[in-house]
Amino acid sequence: MIGWRSTWSIYTRELMRFLRTAFQSVLAPVLTTSLYFIVFGAAIGGRMPDLGGVDYGAFIIPGLLMLTLLGETTSNSSFGIYMPRFTGTIYELLSAPVGVAETLIGFVGAAMTKSLILAAIILLTARLFVDYTIAHPLLAVLYIMLVAAAFSLFGFILGIWADNFEKLGIIPMLFLTPLTFLGGTFYSIDMLPAPWDTIALANPIVYLVSGLRWTFYGSSDVNIWISFGITLAFLAACVGVIAYIFKTGWRLRA
Amino acid sequence: MSETILELDGLTKVYPGGLKALDNVDLKIRKGEIFALLGPNGAGKTTLIGAVCGLVRPSSGTITAFGHDLATDWRKARARIGLVPQELSTDMFEPVHRGVSYSRGLFGLAPDPKRIEEILRSLSLWDKRDERIMALSGGMKRRVLIAKALAHEPDLLFLDEPTAGVDVELRKGMWSIVDEMRARGVTIILTTHYIEEAELMADRVGIINGGKLLMVDEKEAMMARLGRTEAHIALANPISELPVSIARFPVEIEEGGTSLCYRGGDGTGRGKEEVAEITKALLASGIDYTGIDVRESSLEDIFVSLLGEEQAA
C-alpha cells in the first residue's frame, strides 16, 4: 500500500526546494555547458575530425549531458535526504505513516524531475552552439530517465551514508566527475591506444555515455543493450541497498 | 477506567555501545489524559518517545497504539500520533503556512485550508502564516512545531520538553494551548524538567530514571501518598519538653527550644489539620507562639526524594 498523498507532499516539497534556488540551478548548467561548447566545441572542435560521421561539437553533447546529469542528480538527491538528517527535521518523516515507497518516489522522483528539466535546458543550450538531431528521441528520454532514477537512488544512499558535508561532496567530486571525464565524454574509446581502450571498459560511466550517445546518433562504443543492462543492474542494486537501509534503520533510526 | 490507547510492554532499548536507555518499561496511557513523564537528563524520556514515534528501534518489548502493534502495523498507529520534538527542528526557509500544510499531507490527509487556518489561529500564528520560519522568535518556532504536529489531527500527542528554554509568559501560553488540546480530547504525553508544569497540568505522573520507570500514579494519589506537611512554630518562650497533649504528633523541638517543627500529614490536607490541633493544644497548655510557617511538600520534593532513594539503593 502506497500513501499517494504523502508521496505527493514529499515530491512537491522537494521541488519547491529546487525552485527556491531556481536561478542558480538553471544558470549554473547553462553557463557550464556554454563554456564546454566554447572551449571544446568551437575552439578545439574545429580542429577535430568527425567521429563516426558525427561533428565533434555534436559528438560531445551526450557526454556533457551525462556529466551534468550524474553530478546534479546525485547531489540533488543526496542533499534532499542529508539536510533533514543534518537539521533534525527528519523526525517528521520518520514519525509519519510513510514507508520506503513513499520516501523513494517522493525524494527520488523530485530529483529525477529536476534532472530532466536540467537535461532539457542543456539540450536547448547546446542547440545555440551546434546543430544536432536525435536519432531515437523516445529512447533518449527513456535512457535519461533511467540514468536519472539510478543516480537519484545512488545519491539517496550517499545522503544517508554521509555523516558530514565532506563525505557528501567527496563521491561526486573524486569519483563521478573524473570517471565521467574519462568515460568518453570528449572522445571515443576507439581513439585510445592499447591497452587503455580495454582498461577504459572497466569504467562503468563509459557504458552510460555510450548508451546515451547511441540514442542520439545510432552508433556508440558499446552495444546499447549492454548499456541498458548495466544501468538497470545499477538501479536494481541501489533499490536493494535502500530497501536494506529502511529495513534495518541504518543511519536513520537510533 | 478509560480506554487504553497506548501500551508499552517490557520496552527496552540498548544503544550500540551498551547504554541501556530503557529498561523493561511497562506503561499504559489512557484516552484523554495528560501524562507527565518526569526525569533528569539522560533518564530515557526522549528515547521512550522516540521508540513510540518511530525514531528509535526498540531492542525488545512491544508497543501497542490504538490496538495496532507498532512493529507490524505501524502505518495505522503512526497516522494518529503527533510529535513535538525537543529541538527546534524545522525547515527554516519555509513559510509557516506551507510547512504546516506539508505536515498534513505527509500524514496522508487531504488538504484542508480551513483546518490549517484554525490551527494557526489557535496558536496565534495566523498573522505570521506567510513569514519564513527562520524569521520567527524561538517561542513562535515552537508554536510552529506544535501546529505541524496538530496538522494531521492526532489523537495522541507527544510534547518533548515543550517549554524548555522559553520565558515564563510563553510557558503560561503553552500551558493554555495544552489545556485547549485536552478540551478537544487529545491525549497528551509530555516530558518536562519543570515539575511545576506537571503539577499544574498532568492527570498522571510517571517518574523515570536510568531507563526505569520508578513510579506511575495519579498526581493527587502520588502527592497524597508521598506528600508531607512541614510546619515551624516559633515559640514566645523556650521550652525543654513537649507537652503531653501534642506528644502523639510528629513534632520535634528545635533551635534550643524556641521552635517546634512538625513533619507529617499525607498530602491530602491532614497535615494542616494536625498543625491546627497542635496550635490549639499549645495554647491550652499555656504555651504561646509568635509565628507559624506551614509548607506543603511539592511534586518536586517527592521527585527529588524518589531519585535520592533510587541513587542510594
Side-chain angles (χ1 to χ4, degrees):
Chain A
M1 185 188 72
I2 294 177
W4 289 109
R5 282 207 181 98
S6 308
T7 308
W8 179 247
S9 292
I10 296 170
Y11 177 80
T12 49
R13 190 193 211 205
E14 278 300 296
L15 278 187
M16 288 287 181
R17 200 170 59 81
F18 172 66
L19 289 177
R20 280 207 298 255
T21 55
F23 187 68
Q24 178 201 330
S25 308
V26 171
L27 199 67
V30 168
L31 186 70
T32 314
T33 312
S34 301
L35 286 173
Y36 278 122
F37 275 113
I38 290 165
V39 174
F40 290 96
I44 298 173
R47 295 160 192 264
M48 294 285 284
D50 284 1
L51 292 173
V54 180
D55 171 69
Y56 185 71
F59 177 84
I60 64 173
I61 294 172
L64 288 181
L65 190 57
M66 194 57 77
L67 187 67
T68 308
L69 198 62
L70 298 189
E72 289 292 323
T73 309
T74 306
S75 67
N76 269 325
S77 185
S78 60
F79 262 89
I81 190 68
Y82 178 76
M83 285 312 285
R85 287 180 58 223
F86 179 71
T87 59
T89 55
I90 191 132
Y91 85 86
E92 203 173 15
L93 189 70
L94 296 178
S95 64
V98 162
V100 62
E102 291 92 342
T103 310
L104 278 192
I105 298 172
F107 276 101
V108 174
M112 275 177 69
T113 308
K114 293 174 207 172
S115 304
L116 293 176
I117 294 170
L118 286 181
I121 292 170
I122 290 167
L123 287 178
L124 288 173
T125 310
R127 174 66 80 186
L128 300 175
F129 295 92
V130 285
D131 254 349
Y132 62 88
T133 45
I134 301 175
H136 307 284
L138 280 180
L139 273 179
V141 171
L142 179 70
Y143 197 67
I144 288 171
M145 286 178 70
L146 199 62
V147 171
F151 279 82
S152 295
L153 292 166
F154 177 67
F156 193 86
I157 297 169
L158 194 61
I160 289 176
W161 166 75
D163 48 17
N164 57 45
F165 280 98
E166 191 187 13
K167 279 188 181 174
L168 199 61
I170 212 161
I171 299 288
M173 195 175 66
L174 288 188
F175 294 95
L176 277 184
T177 307
L179 285 179
T180 314
F181 267 86
L182 296 172
T185 297
F186 298 105
Y187 53 81
S188 167
I189 301 300
D190 291 344
M191 293 165 74
L192 295 175
W196 296 106
D197 55 347
T198 310
I199 291 172
L201 293 175
N203 175 0
I205 309 292
V206 164
Y207 301 89
L208 304 183
V209 174
S210 179
L212 190 60
R213 190 166 284 141
W214 185 90
T215 65
F216 270 59
Y217 306 122
S219 65
S220 61
D221 291 329
V222 186
N223 184 301
I224 178 64
W225 300 116
I226 294 178
S227 291
F228 262 103
I230 283 183
T231 313
L232 279 171
F234 183 59
L235 189 144
C238 289
V239 169
V241 171
I242 291 171
Y244 171 81
I245 287 172
F246 271 79
K247 192 171 176 226
T248 58
W250 183 71
R251 299 258 168 128
L252 282 177
R253 300 178 203 276
Chain B
M1 200 174 83
S2 300
E3 175 193 348
T4 297
I5 59 168
L6 175 68
E7 185 169 357
L8 313 183
D9 189 9
L11 189 64
T12 300
K13 173 65 186 177
V14 183
Y15 283 109
L19 174 70
K20 199 179 239 185
L22 292 176
D23 188 359
N24 203 25
V25 171
D26 295 328
L27 178 65
K28 286 182 181 177
I29 300 295
R30 303 167 195 157
K31 188 178 178 184
E33 73 172 334
I34 295 188
F35 184 88
L37 195 58
L38 299 180
N41 286 330
K45 305 186 293 290
T46 301
T47 300
L48 189 149
I49 290 179
V52 178
C53 294
L55 313 183
V56 171
R57 294 166 64 84
S59 304
S60 61
T62 59
I63 305 171
T64 311
F66 305 101
H68 305 289
D69 183 344
L70 256 83
T72 53
D73 204 4
W74 50 271
R75 277 181 194 267
K76 284 179 187 158
R78 276 197 214 155
R80 298 176 68 180
I81 300 174
L83 166 65
V84 181
Q86 195 177 136
E87 304 292 333
L88 291 174
S89 310
T90 179
D91 186 341
M92 294 292 170
F93 296 101
E94 203 166 43
V96 172
H97 190 276
R98 193 183 295 157
V100 176
S101 301
Y102 163 74
S103 301
R104 185 177 173 86
L106 185 65
F107 276 73
L109 296 188
D112 186 347
K114 276 196 173 174
R115 182 75 191 113
I116 299 294
E117 180 179 341
E118 201 180 300
I119 291 168
L120 292 180
R121 283 193 189 280
S122 75
L123 291 161
S124 307
L125 285 168
W126 182 244
D127 294 340
K128 310 270 184 193
R129 63 188 178 281
D130 295 322
E131 283 192 31
R132 283 180 171 194
I133 296 170
M134 66 194 294
L136 303 180
S137 67
M140 281 297 184
K141 281 179 189 146
R142 197 164 288 282
R143 281 169 190 250
V144 172
L145 289 182
I146 295 178
K148 282 168 81 65
L150 291 178
H152 68 281
E153 301 166 46
D155 296 310
L156 172 62
L157 183 68
F158 284 92
L159 297 167
D160 195 2
E161 304 271 356
T163 54
V166 303
D167 61 34
V168 178
E169 198 180 336
L170 195 63
R171 202 181 305 162
K172 285 183 178 165
M174 211 62 86
W175 294 345
S176 70
I177 290 167
V178 171
D179 266 341
E180 282 169 29
M181 288 191 278
R182 184 216 297 261
R184 284 213 297 264
V186 179
T187 305
I188 296 168
I189 300 178
L190 65 91
T191 70
T192 179
H193 275 117
Y194 302 108
I195 302 185
E196 174 198 7
E197 202 161 82
E199 202 166 333
L200 194 75
M201 292 194 296
D203 301 309
R204 283 199 306 151
V205 173
I207 294 179
I208 187 169
N209 191 29
K212 288 182 184 168
L213 204 52
L214 303 180
M215 180 173 288
V216 175
D217 211 339
E218 305 284 340
K219 182 181 64 188
E220 277 80 18
M222 189 179 278
M223 293 182 73
R225 192 146 46 93
L226 300 170
R228 290 287 179 273
T229 301
E230 190 172 305
H232 292 273
I233 304 169
L235 302 176
N237 299 299
I239 59 168
S240 56
E241 274 184 25
L242 286 175
V244 180
S245 55
I246 63 166
R248 64 189 172 93
F249 297 110
V251 177
E252 287 172 11
I253 300 172
E254 286 184 343
E255 296 175 24
T258 59
S259 173
L260 295 180
C261 178
Y262 165 89
R263 286 191 188 87
D266 57 6
T268 62
R270 191 163 65 85
K272 280 183 186 167
E273 288 167 14
E274 287 190 347
V275 171
E277 281 181 47
I278 290 166
T279 55
K280 282 182 214 163
L282 285 174
L283 289 176
S285 310
I287 300 172
D288 195 8
Y289 51 87
T290 57
I292 306 173
D293 179 20
V294 183
R295 186 179 156 267
E296 292 292 323
S297 65
S298 64
L299 193 57
E300 183 164 354
D301 297 321
I302 296 168
F303 176 67
V304 170
S305 123
L306 261 176
L307 291 191
E309 281 172 24
E310 168 77 1
Q311 270 157 8

